[in-house]
Coordinates of all heavy atoms in Angstrom, one line a residue:
M261 N 0.8 -1.2 0.0 CA 0.0 0.0 0.0 C 0.9 1.2 0.0 O 1.8 1.4 0.8 CB -0.9 0.0 1.2 CG -1.8 1.2 1.3 SD -2.8 1.2 2.8 CE -1.7 1.8 4.0
S262 N 0.6 2.1 -0.9 CA 1.4 3.4 -1.0 C 0.6 4.4 -0.3 O -0.6 4.5 -0.3 CB 1.5 3.8 -2.5 OG 2.0 5.1 -2.5
D263 N 1.3 5.3 0.5 CA 0.6 6.4 1.1 C 0.8 7.7 0.4 O 0.6 8.8 0.9 CB 0.9 6.5 2.6 CG 2.4 6.9 2.9 OD1 3.1 7.2 1.9 OD2 2.8 6.9 4.0
N264 N 1.3 7.6 -0.8 CA 1.5 8.8 -1.7 C 0.3 9.0 -2.5 O 0.1 8.3 -3.5 CB 2.7 8.6 -2.6 CG 3.1 9.9 -3.3 OD1 2.3 10.8 -3.2 ND2 4.2 9.8 -4.0
L265 N -0.5 10.0 -2.1 CA -1.8 10.2 -2.9 C -1.5 11.0 -4.1 O -2.4 11.3 -4.9 CB -2.7 11.0 -2.0 CG -3.3 10.3 -0.8 CD1 -4.3 11.2 -0.1 CD2 -3.9 9.0 -1.1
L266 N -0.2 11.4 -4.3 CA 0.1 12.3 -5.5 C 0.5 11.5 -6.7 O 0.9 12.0 -7.7 CB 1.1 13.3 -5.1 CG 0.7 14.3 -4.0 CD1 1.8 15.3 -3.7 CD2 -0.5 15.1 -4.5
L267 N 0.4 10.2 -6.6 CA 0.7 9.4 -7.8 C -0.4 9.5 -8.8 O -1.5 9.3 -8.5 CB 0.8 7.9 -7.4 CG 2.1 7.5 -6.7 CD1 2.0 6.0 -6.3 CD2 3.3 7.7 -7.5
G268 N 0.0 9.9 -10.0 CA -1.0 10.1 -11.1 C -1.7 11.4 -10.8 O -1.4 12.1 -9.9
P269 N -2.7 11.7 -11.7 CA -3.5 12.9 -11.5 C -4.3 12.9 -10.2 O -4.9 11.8 -9.9 CB -4.4 12.9 -12.8 CG -4.4 11.6 -13.3 CD -3.2 10.8 -12.8
T270 N -4.2 13.9 -9.5 CA -5.0 14.0 -8.3 C -5.8 15.3 -8.3 O -5.4 16.3 -8.9 CB -4.1 14.0 -7.0 OG1 -3.1 15.0 -7.2 CG2 -3.4 12.7 -6.8
C271 N -6.9 15.4 -7.5 CA -7.6 16.6 -7.4 C -6.8 17.6 -6.7 O -6.3 17.4 -5.6 CB -8.9 16.3 -6.6 SG -9.9 17.7 -6.2
Q272 N -6.7 18.8 -7.3 CA -5.9 19.9 -6.7 C -6.7 20.6 -5.6 O -6.4 21.8 -5.2 CB -5.5 20.8 -7.8 CG -4.4 20.2 -8.7 CD -3.2 19.8 -8.0 OE1 -2.6 20.6 -7.3 NE2 -2.8 18.5 -8.1
S273 N -7.7 20.0 -5.1 CA -8.5 20.6 -4.0 C -8.5 19.7 -2.8 O -8.2 20.1 -1.7 CB -9.9 20.9 -4.4 OG -10.8 21.2 -3.4
C274 N -8.8 18.4 -3.0 CA -8.9 17.4 -1.9 C -7.9 16.3 -2.0 O -7.8 15.6 -1.0 CB -10.3 16.8 -1.9 SG -10.7 15.7 -3.2
G275 N -7.1 16.3 -3.0 CA -6.0 15.3 -3.1 C -6.4 13.9 -3.5 O -5.5 13.0 -3.5
V276 N -7.6 13.7 -3.8 CA -8.1 12.3 -4.2 C -7.5 12.0 -5.6 O -7.3 12.8 -6.4 CB -9.6 12.3 -4.2 CG1 -10.2 12.9 -5.5 CG2 -10.1 10.8 -4.1
A277 N -7.2 10.7 -5.8 CA -6.7 10.2 -7.1 C -7.8 10.2 -8.1 O -8.9 9.8 -7.9 CB -6.1 8.8 -6.9
L278 N -7.4 10.8 -9.3 CA -8.4 10.8 -10.4 C -8.0 9.7 -11.4 O -7.2 9.9 -12.3 CB -8.3 12.2 -11.0 CG -8.7 13.4 -10.1 CD1 -8.3 14.7 -10.7 CD2 -10.1 13.3 -9.7
A279 N -8.6 8.6 -11.2 CA -8.2 7.4 -12.0 C -9.2 7.2 -13.2 O -8.8 6.8 -14.3 CB -8.3 6.2 -11.2
D280 N -10.4 7.6 -13.0 CA -11.4 7.4 -14.0 C -11.9 8.7 -14.6 O -12.0 9.7 -13.9 CB -12.6 6.6 -13.3 CG -13.5 6.0 -14.3 OD1 -13.2 4.8 -14.7 OD2 -14.5 6.6 -14.7
K281 N -12.3 8.7 -15.9 CA -12.9 9.8 -16.5 C -14.1 10.4 -15.7 O -14.2 11.6 -15.6 CB -13.5 9.4 -17.9 CG -12.9 10.2 -19.0 CD -13.5 9.7 -20.4 CE -13.4 10.8 -21.4 NZ -14.0 10.4 -22.7
G282 N -14.8 9.6 -15.1 CA -16.0 10.0 -14.3 C -15.6 10.6 -13.0 O -16.5 11.1 -12.3
D283 N -14.3 10.6 -12.6 CA -13.9 11.2 -11.4 C -13.7 12.7 -11.5 O -13.7 13.4 -10.5 CB -12.6 10.5 -10.9 CG -12.8 9.1 -10.5 OD1 -13.9 8.7 -10.2 OD2 -11.7 8.4 -10.5
F284 N -13.4 13.1 -12.7 CA -13.1 14.5 -12.9 C -14.2 15.5 -12.7 O -15.4 15.2 -13.1 CB -12.4 14.7 -14.3 CG -11.1 14.1 -14.4 CD1 -11.0 12.8 -15.0 CD2 -9.9 14.7 -14.0 CE1 -9.8 12.2 -15.1 CE2 -8.7 14.1 -14.2 CZ -8.6 12.8 -14.7
G285 N -13.9 16.7 -12.4 CA -14.9 17.8 -12.3 C -15.2 18.3 -13.8 O -14.6 17.8 -14.7
T286 N -16.1 19.2 -13.9 CA -16.5 19.7 -15.2 C -16.4 21.2 -15.2 O -16.6 21.9 -14.2 CB -17.9 19.3 -15.6 OG1 -18.8 19.6 -14.5 CG2 -18.0 17.8 -15.9
N287 N -16.1 21.8 -16.4 CA -16.2 23.2 -16.5 C -17.6 23.7 -16.9 O -18.5 22.9 -17.0 CB -15.1 23.7 -17.5 CG -15.4 23.3 -19.0 OD1 -16.5 22.9 -19.3 ND2 -14.4 23.3 -19.8
A288 N -17.7 25.0 -17.1 CA -19.1 25.5 -17.3 C -19.8 24.9 -18.5 O -21.0 24.8 -18.5 CB -19.0 27.0 -17.5
A289 N -19.0 24.5 -19.5 CA -19.6 23.9 -20.7 C -19.8 22.4 -20.5 O -20.4 21.7 -21.4 CB -18.6 24.1 -21.9
G290 N -19.5 21.9 -19.4 CA -19.7 20.4 -19.1 C -18.5 19.5 -19.6 O -18.6 18.3 -19.4
A291 N -17.5 20.1 -20.0 CA -16.3 19.4 -20.4 C -15.4 19.0 -19.2 O -15.6 19.7 -18.2 CB -15.4 20.1 -21.4
I292 N -14.6 18.0 -19.3 CA -13.8 17.6 -18.1 C -12.8 18.7 -17.7 O -12.1 19.2 -18.6 CB -13.1 16.3 -18.5 CG1 -14.1 15.1 -18.3 CG2 -11.9 16.0 -17.6 CD1 -13.6 13.8 -18.7
H293 N -12.7 18.9 -16.5 CA -11.8 19.8 -15.9 C -10.7 19.0 -15.1 O -11.1 18.3 -14.2 CB -12.5 20.8 -14.9 CG -11.6 21.9 -14.5 ND1 -10.5 21.8 -13.7 CD2 -11.7 23.3 -14.8 CE1 -10.0 23.0 -13.4 NE2 -10.6 23.9 -14.1
T294 N -9.5 18.9 -15.6 CA -8.6 17.9 -15.2 C -7.9 18.2 -13.8 O -7.3 17.4 -13.2 CB -7.5 17.7 -16.2 OG1 -6.9 18.9 -16.5 CG2 -8.0 17.0 -17.5
D295 N -8.1 19.4 -13.3 CA -7.5 19.8 -12.0 C -8.2 19.3 -10.8 O -7.6 19.2 -9.7 CB -7.3 21.3 -11.9 CG -6.2 21.8 -12.8 OD1 -5.4 21.0 -13.3 OD2 -6.1 23.0 -13.0
Y296 N -9.5 19.1 -10.9 CA -10.3 18.8 -9.8 C -11.3 17.6 -9.9 O -11.6 17.3 -11.1 CB -11.2 20.0 -9.4 CG -10.4 21.3 -9.1 CD1 -10.4 22.4 -10.0 CD2 -9.6 21.3 -8.0 CE1 -9.6 23.5 -9.7 CE2 -8.8 22.5 -7.7 CZ -8.8 23.5 -8.6 OH -8.1 24.6 -8.3
C297 N -11.6 17.0 -8.8 CA -12.6 15.9 -8.9 C -14.0 16.4 -8.9 O -14.3 17.6 -8.6 CB -12.4 15.0 -7.7 SG -13.1 15.6 -6.1
K298 N -14.9 15.6 -9.2 CA -16.3 16.0 -9.4 C -17.0 16.4 -8.0 O -17.9 17.1 -8.0 CB -17.2 14.8 -10.0 CG -17.2 13.6 -9.2 CD -18.0 12.5 -9.9 CE -17.9 11.2 -9.1 NZ -18.6 10.1 -9.8
F299 N -16.4 15.9 -7.0 CA -16.9 16.3 -5.7 C -16.5 17.7 -5.2 O -17.2 18.4 -4.4 CB -16.5 15.3 -4.6 CG -17.0 13.9 -4.9 CD1 -16.1 13.0 -5.2 CD2 -18.3 13.6 -4.8 CE1 -16.5 11.7 -5.5 CE2 -18.7 12.3 -5.1 CZ -17.8 11.4 -5.5
C300 N -15.4 18.2 -5.8 CA -14.9 19.5 -5.5 C -15.4 20.6 -6.5 O -15.6 21.8 -6.2 CB -13.4 19.5 -5.4 SG -12.8 18.6 -4.0
Y301 N -15.5 20.2 -7.8 CA -15.6 21.2 -8.8 C -16.7 20.6 -9.9 O -16.5 19.6 -10.4 CB -14.3 21.4 -9.5 CG -14.1 22.6 -10.3 CD1 -13.9 23.8 -9.7 CD2 -14.2 22.6 -11.7 CE1 -13.7 25.0 -10.4 CE2 -14.1 23.8 -12.4 CZ -13.8 25.0 -11.8 OH -13.6 26.1 -12.5
S302 N -17.7 21.4 -10.1 CA -18.7 21.0 -11.0 C -19.3 22.2 -11.8 O -19.5 23.2 -11.2 CB -19.9 20.4 -10.2 OG -20.9 20.0 -11.0
K303 N -19.4 22.0 -13.1 CA -19.9 23.1 -14.0 C -19.2 24.4 -13.8 O -19.8 25.5 -13.8 CB -21.4 23.2 -13.8 CG -22.1 21.9 -14.1 CD -23.6 22.2 -14.3 CE -24.3 20.9 -14.8 NZ -24.9 20.1 -13.7
G304 N -17.9 24.4 -13.7 CA -17.1 25.6 -13.6 C -17.0 26.3 -12.3 O -16.5 27.4 -12.2
E305 N -17.6 25.6 -11.2 CA -17.5 26.2 -9.9 C -17.1 25.2 -8.9 O -17.4 24.0 -9.0 CB -18.9 26.8 -9.5 CG -19.4 27.9 -10.5 CD -20.8 28.3 -10.1 OE1 -21.5 27.5 -9.5 OE2 -21.1 29.5 -10.3
F306 N -16.5 25.7 -7.8 CA -16.3 24.8 -6.6 C -17.6 24.5 -6.0 O -18.5 25.3 -5.8 CB -15.4 25.5 -5.6 CG -14.0 25.5 -6.0 CD1 -13.3 26.7 -6.2 CD2 -13.3 24.3 -6.1 CE1 -12.0 26.7 -6.6 CE2 -11.9 24.3 -6.5 CZ -11.3 25.5 -6.7
V307 N -17.8 23.2 -5.7 CA -19.0 22.7 -5.1 C -19.2 23.4 -3.7 O -20.3 23.7 -3.4 CB -19.0 21.2 -5.0 CG1 -20.2 20.7 -4.2 CG2 -19.0 20.5 -6.3
D308 N -18.1 23.5 -3.0 CA -18.2 24.1 -1.7 C -17.2 25.3 -1.6 O -16.1 25.1 -1.1 CB -17.8 23.0 -0.7 CG -18.3 23.4 0.7 OD1 -18.6 24.6 0.9 OD2 -18.2 22.6 1.6
P309 N -17.5 26.4 -2.2 CA -16.6 27.5 -2.4 C -16.0 28.1 -1.1 O -14.9 28.7 -1.1 CB -17.3 28.6 -3.2 CG -18.8 28.3 -3.0 CD -18.9 26.8 -2.7
D310 N -16.7 28.0 0.0 CA -16.3 28.6 1.2 C -15.5 27.7 2.2 O -15.2 28.1 3.3 CB -17.5 29.2 2.0 CG -18.2 30.3 1.2 OD1 -17.5 31.0 0.5 OD2 -19.4 30.3 1.2
I311 N -15.3 26.4 1.8 CA -14.7 25.5 2.6 C -13.2 26.0 2.9 O -12.6 26.5 2.0 CB -14.7 24.1 2.0 CG1 -14.3 23.0 3.1 CG2 -13.8 24.0 0.8 CD1 -14.6 21.6 2.7
T312 N -12.8 25.8 4.1 CA -11.4 26.2 4.5 C -10.5 25.0 4.4 O -10.9 23.9 4.3 CB -11.3 26.7 5.9 OG1 -11.7 25.6 6.8 CG2 -12.3 27.9 6.2
L313 N -9.2 25.3 4.4 CA -8.2 24.2 4.3 C -8.4 23.2 5.5 O -8.4 22.0 5.4 CB -6.8 24.8 4.3 CG -5.7 23.8 4.4 CD1 -5.7 22.8 3.2 CD2 -4.3 24.5 4.3
E314 N -8.7 23.8 6.7 CA -8.9 23.0 7.9 C -10.1 22.0 7.7 O -10.0 20.9 8.1 CB -9.1 23.9 9.1 CG -7.9 24.6 9.6 CD -7.5 25.8 8.7 OE1 -8.3 26.4 8.0 OE2 -6.2 26.1 8.6
E315 N -11.2 22.6 7.1 CA -12.3 21.8 6.9 C -12.1 20.7 5.9 O -12.6 19.5 6.0 CB -13.5 22.6 6.5 CG -14.1 23.4 7.7 CD -15.0 24.6 7.2 OE1 -15.0 24.9 6.0 OE2 -15.8 25.1 8.0
M316 N -11.3 21.0 4.9 CA -11.0 20.1 3.8 C -10.1 19.0 4.4 O -10.2 17.8 4.0 CB -10.3 20.8 2.7 CG -10.1 19.8 1.5 SD -11.6 19.1 0.8 CE -12.1 20.4 -0.4
V317 N -9.2 19.3 5.3 CA -8.3 18.3 5.9 C -9.2 17.3 6.7 O -9.0 16.1 6.6 CB -7.3 19.0 6.9 CG1 -6.7 17.9 7.8 CG2 -6.2 19.7 6.1
K318 N -10.2 17.8 7.4 CA -11.1 17.0 8.1 C -11.9 16.0 7.2 O -12.0 14.8 7.5 CB -12.1 17.9 8.9 CG -12.4 17.3 10.3 CD -13.3 18.3 11.0 CE -14.3 17.6 11.9 NZ -15.4 18.4 12.4
K319 N -12.4 16.6 6.2 CA -13.2 15.9 5.2 C -12.3 14.8 4.5 O -12.7 13.6 4.4 CB -13.7 16.8 4.1 CG -15.1 16.6 3.6 CD -15.5 17.7 2.7 CE -16.4 17.3 1.6 NZ -16.8 18.3 0.7
S320 N -11.1 15.2 4.1 CA -10.2 14.3 3.5 C -9.7 13.2 4.4 O -9.6 12.1 4.0 CB -9.0 15.1 3.0 OG -8.1 14.3 2.3
T321 N -9.5 13.5 5.7 CA -9.2 12.5 6.7 C -10.2 11.4 6.7 O -9.8 10.2 6.7 CB -9.0 13.2 8.1 OG1 -8.0 14.2 8.0 CG2 -8.7 12.1 9.2
E322 N -11.5 11.8 6.7 CA -12.5 10.8 6.8 C -12.5 9.9 5.5 O -12.6 8.7 5.6 CB -13.9 11.5 6.9 CG -14.2 12.0 8.3 CD -15.3 13.0 8.3 OE1 -16.2 12.9 7.4 OE2 -15.4 13.8 9.3
A323 N -12.3 10.6 4.4 CA -12.3 9.8 3.1 C -11.1 8.9 3.0 O -11.2 7.7 2.6 CB -12.2 10.8 1.9
I324 N -9.9 9.3 3.5 CA -8.7 8.5 3.5 C -8.9 7.3 4.4 O -8.5 6.2 4.1 CB -7.4 9.3 3.8 CG1 -7.1 10.4 2.8 CG2 -6.2 8.4 3.9 CD1 -6.1 11.4 3.3
T325 N -9.4 7.6 5.6 CA -9.7 6.6 6.6 C -10.5 5.4 6.0 O -10.2 4.2 6.1 CB -10.3 7.1 7.8 OG1 -9.6 8.2 8.3 CG2 -10.4 6.1 9.0
K326 N -11.6 5.8 5.3 CA -12.5 4.9 4.7 C -11.9 4.1 3.6 O -11.9 2.9 3.5 CB -13.8 5.6 4.2 CG -14.9 5.4 5.2 CD -16.2 6.0 4.6 CE -16.9 6.9 5.6 NZ -17.8 7.9 5.0
K327 N -11.3 4.9 2.7 CA -10.8 4.3 1.4 C -9.5 3.4 1.6 O -9.4 2.4 1.1 CB -10.4 5.5 0.5 CG -10.4 5.1 -1.0 CD -10.2 6.3 -1.8 CE -10.0 6.0 -3.3 NZ -9.8 7.1 -4.1
K328 N -8.6 3.9 2.5 CA -7.4 3.2 2.7 C -7.4 2.2 3.9 O -6.5 1.4 4.1 CB -6.2 4.2 2.9 CG -6.1 5.1 1.7 CD -4.8 4.9 1.0 CE -4.7 5.7 -0.3 NZ -3.6 5.3 -1.1
G329 N -8.4 2.3 4.7 CA -8.5 1.5 5.9 C -7.4 1.7 6.9 O -7.0 0.7 7.5
I330 N -6.9 2.9 7.0 CA -5.9 3.2 8.0 C -6.5 4.0 9.1 O -7.6 4.6 9.0 CB -4.7 3.9 7.4 CG1 -5.1 5.3 6.8 CG2 -4.0 3.0 6.3 CD1 -3.9 6.0 6.2
N331 N -5.8 4.2 10.2 CA -6.4 4.9 11.3 C -6.4 6.4 11.1 O -5.7 6.9 10.3 CB -5.7 4.5 12.7 CG -4.3 5.1 12.8 OD1 -4.2 6.3 12.7 ND2 -3.3 4.2 12.9
A332 N -7.3 7.0 11.8 CA -7.6 8.4 11.6 C -6.4 9.3 11.8 O -6.2 10.3 11.1 CB -8.8 8.9 12.5
G333 N -5.6 9.0 12.8 CA -4.4 9.8 13.1 C -3.4 9.8 11.9 O -2.9 10.9 11.5
K334 N -3.2 8.6 11.3 CA -2.3 8.6 10.2 C -2.9 9.2 9.0 O -2.3 9.9 8.2 CB -2.0 7.1 9.9 CG -0.8 7.0 9.0 CD -0.5 5.5 8.6 CE 0.7 5.5 7.6 NZ 0.7 4.2 6.9
A335 N -4.2 9.1 8.8 CA -4.9 9.7 7.7 C -4.9 11.2 7.8 O -4.6 11.9 6.8 CB -6.4 9.2 7.6
E336 N -5.0 11.7 9.0 CA -5.0 13.2 9.2 C -3.6 13.7 8.9 O -3.4 14.8 8.3 CB -5.4 13.5 10.6 CG -5.6 15.0 10.8 CD -6.1 15.4 12.2 OE1 -6.1 14.5 13.1 OE2 -6.5 16.5 12.4
A337 N -2.6 13.0 9.3 CA -1.2 13.4 9.1 C -0.9 13.5 7.5 O -0.3 14.4 7.1 CB -0.2 12.4 9.7
M338 N -1.5 12.5 6.8 CA -1.4 12.5 5.4 C -2.1 13.7 4.8 O -1.5 14.4 3.9 CB -2.0 11.2 4.8 CG -1.0 10.0 4.8 SD -2.0 8.5 4.5 CE -2.4 8.8 2.7
A339 N -3.3 14.0 5.2 CA -4.1 15.1 4.7 C -3.4 16.4 5.0 O -3.3 17.3 4.1 CB -5.5 15.1 5.3
E340 N -2.9 16.5 6.2 CA -2.2 17.8 6.6 C -0.9 18.0 5.8 O -0.5 19.1 5.6 CB -1.9 17.8 8.1 CG -3.1 18.1 8.9 CD -2.8 18.1 10.4 OE1 -1.8 17.4 10.8 OE2 -3.6 18.6 11.1
R341 N -0.3 16.9 5.4 CA 0.9 17.1 4.6 C 0.7 17.4 3.1 O 1.3 18.2 2.5 CB 1.7 15.7 4.7 CG 3.0 15.7 4.0 CD 3.9 14.5 4.4 NE 3.2 13.2 4.4 CZ 3.1 12.5 3.3 NH1 3.7 12.9 2.2 NH2 2.5 11.3 3.3
I342 N -0.4 16.8 2.6 CA -0.6 16.9 1.1 C -1.5 18.1 0.7 O -1.2 18.8 -0.2 CB -1.3 15.6 0.6 CG1 -0.3 14.4 0.7 CG2 -1.8 15.7 -0.8 CD1 -0.9 13.0 0.7
L343 N -2.6 18.3 1.5 CA -3.5 19.3 1.0 C -2.9 20.7 0.9 O -3.2 21.4 -0.1 CB -4.7 19.4 2.0 CG -5.6 18.1 2.0 CD1 -7.0 18.5 2.6 CD2 -5.8 17.5 0.6
P344 N -2.0 21.2 1.8 CA -1.5 22.5 1.6 C -0.6 22.7 0.3 O -0.4 23.8 -0.1 CB -0.6 22.8 2.8 CG -1.2 21.8 3.8 CD -1.6 20.6 3.1
T345 N -0.2 21.6 -0.3 CA 0.6 21.6 -1.5 C -0.2 21.7 -2.7 O 0.3 21.9 -3.8 CB 1.5 20.4 -1.6 OG1 0.7 19.3 -1.9 CG2 2.3 20.1 -0.3
L346 N -1.5 21.6 -2.6 CA -2.4 21.6 -3.8 C -2.7 23.0 -4.3 O -2.8 23.9 -3.5 CB -3.7 20.8 -3.5 CG -3.4 19.3 -3.0 CD1 -4.8 18.7 -2.6 CD2 -2.8 18.5 -4.1
T347 N -3.0 23.1 -5.6 CA -3.2 24.4 -6.2 C -4.2 25.2 -5.5 O -4.0 26.4 -5.3 CB -3.7 24.2 -7.7 OG1 -2.7 23.3 -8.3 CG2 -3.7 25.5 -8.5
R348 N -5.3 24.7 -5.2 CA -6.4 25.4 -4.6 C -6.0 26.2 -3.3 O -6.4 27.3 -3.0 CB -7.6 24.5 -4.3 CG -8.8 25.3 -3.7 CD -10.0 24.4 -3.5 NE -11.1 25.2 -3.0 CZ -12.3 24.7 -2.7 NH1 -12.5 23.4 -2.8 NH2 -13.3 25.5 -2.3
W349 N -5.2 25.5 -2.5 CA -4.8 26.1 -1.2 C -3.5 26.9 -1.3 O -3.3 27.8 -0.4 CB -4.6 24.9 -0.2 CG -5.8 24.1 -0.2 CD1 -5.9 22.8 -0.7 CD2 -7.2 24.4 0.1 NE1 -7.2 22.3 -0.6 CE2 -8.0 23.3 -0.1 CE3 -7.7 25.6 0.7 CZ2 -9.4 23.3 0.1 CZ3 -9.1 25.6 0.9 CH2 -9.9 24.5 0.7
Q350 N -2.7 26.7 -2.3 CA -1.6 27.6 -2.5 C -2.0 29.0 -2.8 O -1.3 29.9 -2.3 CB -0.8 27.0 -3.8 CG -0.3 25.6 -3.6 CD 1.2 25.6 -3.2 OE1 2.0 26.2 -3.9 NE2 1.5 24.9 -2.2
A351 N -3.0 29.2 -3.5 CA -3.5 30.5 -4.0 C -3.9 31.4 -2.8 O -4.0 32.6 -2.8 CB -4.6 30.4 -5.0
K352 N -4.3 30.7 -1.7 CA -4.8 31.4 -0.5 C -3.8 32.1 0.3 O -4.1 32.9 1.2 CB -5.6 30.5 0.4 CG -6.8 29.9 -0.4 CD -8.0 30.0 0.5 CE -9.3 29.8 -0.3 NZ -10.5 30.0 0.4
H353 N -2.5 31.8 0.1 CA -1.5 32.3 1.0 C -0.9 33.6 0.4 O -0.9 33.8 -0.7 CB -0.3 31.3 1.1 CG -0.8 30.1 1.8 ND1 -1.2 30.1 3.1 CD2 -1.0 28.8 1.4 CE1 -1.6 28.8 3.5 NE2 -1.4 28.1 2.4
Ligands
ZN590 ZN1 -11.6 16.9 -5.0

């Protein structure tokens, strides 16, 4: 099991791996937007535009815990390490 979520294309908002065409978000015209997943970005807008990095870390921790079957502490450490490096959160600084 790799704990590197940055292998391959990943959502630049939540860090999830984008493996399938159906995982990607869409732009205003409905075409695939390759930077973000469908849960973060839909029809040219962020699904949750006001979410903070801290809230995203929390959300991502839950997703990683479920998906990877690792404990919440380790999942949180991963989320805290990866999320601030993503495009969406870089722009905020
Ligand atoms: Zn996402």
Side-chain angles (χ1 to χ4, degrees):
M261 182 183 80
S262 167
D263 66 6
N264 187 355
L265 295 184
L266 295 176
L267 284 175
T270 53
C271 174
Q272 291 299 306
S273 167
C274 71
V276 80
L278 299 168
D280 198 86
K281 237 180 156 183
D283 293 338
F284 292 95
T286 50
N287 67 15
I292 281 177
H293 191 290
T294 53
D295 285 350
Y296 300 111
C297 76
K298 62 182 174 184
F299 300 110
C300 291
Y301 200 80
S302 177
K303 300 197 172 95
E305 298 178 330
F306 282 115
V307 172
D308 198 349
D310 297 323
I311 194 168
T312 64
L313 177 57
E314 289 72 29
E315 286 165 344
M316 187 60 89
V317 165
K318 218 175 146 197
K319 220 171 146 180
S320 185
T321 298
E322 285 166 22
I324 296 168
T325 307
K326 258 186 225 159
K327 201 170 171 183
K328 301 244 173 195
I330 61 179
N331 72 59
K334 199 182 171 197
E336 189 175 15
M338 277 167 67
E340 281 179 340
R341 182 165 51 86
I342 292 163
L343 295 197
T345 70
L346 303 175
T347 308
R348 182 176 184 181
W349 309 110
Q350 298 260 307
K352 296 228 163 183
H353 296 293

